[in-house]
Amino acid sequence: MTGTPRNLLTTAQIEATARAVHEGQTDKAGVPYAEHLRAVAEGVRARGGDEEQIAAAWLHDAVEDGKLSQEWLRESALTRRTRDIVLAVTKRSGEPPEVYAARILATPGALLVKEADLAHNADPARLAVLDEATRTRLTEKYTRMRTLLGLVAGERPARPARPAQPADRLDRTHRPGPPHRDAAD
């Protein structure tokens, strides 16, 4: 199935799927991983995201963590846009951060999901329970990605692989701070 199926999974069904496949998984602080998924979905909702983006937020780490296959995603009763967002925010092994950021920027709707993910990952309360070396490493990693995505004031994003789509511009209007710049690196 490559198009949009008629009987789409509801957000509640997608949440239940995500919780089930991440059952028993914890984050670096030992908190159930589903709490991260919930926080990202709520972050997307709070930033004005739509149901497709909220669905992608629930599934954003499922393929990357090996909990769901790309085949499952391709055959699932999700919209094409939700699938595209999940694949865009799925980090690939050995992939340079610049390539990852460019894919996110080139996929309508993905920037908002990644912004919510980074916001929760970089939450000082979450980072505070980690050892100093891990906290420093992760803070630098998240700051670099925010810079590549243009989410840091005064920084330019990585250039998207194709021109921004209208949905990308809508995503950026929900982000507090200065307006997005489309200038080249």
Side-chain angles (χ1 to χ4, degrees), residues 60-71:
H60 81 275
D61 281 334
V63 175
E64 183 175 320
D65 291 351
K67 303 297 182 179
L68 294 173
S69 68
Q70 285 191 22
E71 181 180 353

Side-chain angles (χ1 to χ4, degrees), residues 8-25 33-34 37 55 57-63 66-69 72-73 76-78 86:
L8 295 173
L9 293 171
T10 66
T11 304
Q13 291 170 318
I14 293 165
E15 175 184 346
T17 299
R19 286 182 180 278
V21 300
H22 288 280
E23 180 69 32
Q25 183 180 356
Y33 202 76
L37 304 175
W58 277 107
L59 297 171
H60 81 275
D61 281 334
V63 175
K67 303 297 182 179
L68 294 173
S69 68
W72 180 91
L73 190 65
S76 63
L78 301 168
V86 172

Side-chain angles (χ1 to χ4, degrees), residues 125-145:
R126 276 187 93 204
L127 293 172
V129 301
L130 304 175
D131 63 83
E132 186 175 346
T134 302
R135 186 172 50 248
T136 299
R137 178 181 61 79
L138 292 176
T139 298
E140 290 171 358
K141 174 184 169 183
Y142 302 145
T143 299
R144 175 140 166 37
M145 184 53 58

